[in-house]
Amino acid sequence: RVLFRSDCLGPLVGTYMKKIYCNFPNVKIYGDLCNNINYNNIDDFYKIINKEKCYTVLIDSALGENIGNIILSSGKLKLGYGLYKNKIITGDIIIKTVVGKNHYSIEKNFKELQCKSVEDIAVLAKNVVDIISYYILTDKVYL
């Protein structure tokens, strides 16, 4: 198995979404495997997104007890929470997917994020894409 960083969930979702929605002019996707949005550069992207005043779906990896759980919410997203960082951004929909166990230790959580297979994260990313696509294709979300 190929080992990959679990934090690639968002970029994988972005990559899949760009392939599916490349001909949808009303869907704009920021962040993919080639142009990753991460803790260090989110502020720059967030300024661009806020200027466009669009409906925003934020996607992030999470650590928790039930790996594979997808958590939908709105409002504020705390970036880097599992590594005891605390950058907050807001969105219309927030999708967090539990990619690993929270050990409540920076060192153990960092190691947890480093040791997941790309295949496992790809399955979780495809589940997120399916959820988003359902809402777009059934007109539950108006873009």
Side-chain angles (χ1 to χ4, degrees):
R1 296 176 85 178
V2 176
L3 295 180
F4 206 74
R5 227 185 125 129
S6 298
D7 233 3
C8 72
L9 177 91
L12 273 173
V13 169
T15 298
Y16 296 150
M17 294 290 291
K18 281 186 175 184
K19 288 178 182 175
I20 294 169
Y21 294 100
C22 62
N23 293 321
F24 284 60
N26 59 336
V27 176
K28 179 87 174 178
I29 298 166
Y30 291 95
D32 58 23
L33 288 171
C34 294
N35 195 17
N36 184 11
I37 299 174
N38 57 53
Y39 188 87
N40 296 320
N41 68 6
I42 185 68
D43 293 330
D44 296 331
F45 282 98
Y46 201 62
K47 287 176 189 173
I48 294 167
I49 293 166
N50 277 337
K51 284 181 184 176
E52 292 188 10
K53 299 194 186 308
C54 56
Y55 194 86
T56 308
V57 179
L58 305 174
I59 299 158
D60 198 16
S61 300
L63 297 174
E65 295 303 313
N66 299 310
I67 296 172
N69 272 11
I70 297 173
I71 304 154
L72 299 171
S73 63
S74 62
K76 296 180 181 181
L77 171 64
K78 292 182 180 179
L79 298 175
Y81 188 73
L83 299 176
Y84 297 99
K85 295 179 179 182
N86 198 16
K87 189 177 285 191
I88 297 173
I89 59 174
T90 58
D92 296 297
I93 295 179
I94 296 167
I95 301 174
K96 294 188 291 186
T97 303
V98 179
V99 297
K101 182 171 174 36
N102 189 349
H103 298 281
Y104 301 99
S105 157
I106 293 173
E107 294 82 15
K108 288 180 181 178
N109 285 351
F110 185 76
K111 191 171 188 173
E112 181 77 16
L113 287 170
Q114 294 294 325
C115 70
K116 297 294 177 185
S117 74
V118 68
E119 292 89 356
D120 290 344
I121 302 305
V123 168
L124 297 175
K126 286 181 181 175
N127 291 341
V128 171
V129 169
D130 289 345
I131 288 169
I132 295 170
S133 295
Y134 169 78
Y135 282 98
I136 290 173
L137 295 176
T138 59
D139 292 326
K140 302 287 186 201
V141 174
Y142 301 97
L143 301 171

